[in-house]
Amino acid sequence: MTANVTISERAAKRIGEILKSEGAGAMLRISVEGGGCSGFQYKFDVAREKADDDLTITRDSAVVLVDPTSVPFLAGSEVDFVDDLIGASFRVNNPQATASCGCGTSFSI
């Protein structure tokens, strides 16, 4: 399975910090679920197990997993980490999204 999902340098640094505090073997799982104000929403979880069909993205000390159902929704996306006036969060820059909510956690395609 191939998909062009990338992790920015800022996101890799923050993911690495989070995973370090979670202990050995921790990985970040990103998935897409139905819901949110725009139709789909991104979900971020710490995972300890990797499925055989997961897409695995590694950058520096960050290990990110994406399940095969979510991969088509994230194809071409970059996961970034932003720290601005409304708070610090991961943001998915998804070129497939035709609309998104104001906070960037849900989208439609």
Side-chain angles (χ1 to χ4, degrees), residues 6 10 24 50 57:
T6 58
R10 286 186 305 252
K50 176 190 174 310
I57 308 156

Side-chain angles (χ1 to χ4, degrees), residues 1-2 29 50-56 65-71:
M1 167 187 339
T2 60
R29 179 172 294 282
K50 176 190 174 310
D52 291 338
D53 56 355
D54 280 340
L55 171 66
T56 304
L65 305 174
V66 181
D67 65 88
T69 304
S70 299
V71 167

Side-chain angles (χ1 to χ4, degrees), residues 92-105:
V92 179
N93 299 314
N94 189 338
Q96 296 185 81
T98 58
S100 64
C101 66
C103 62
T105 60

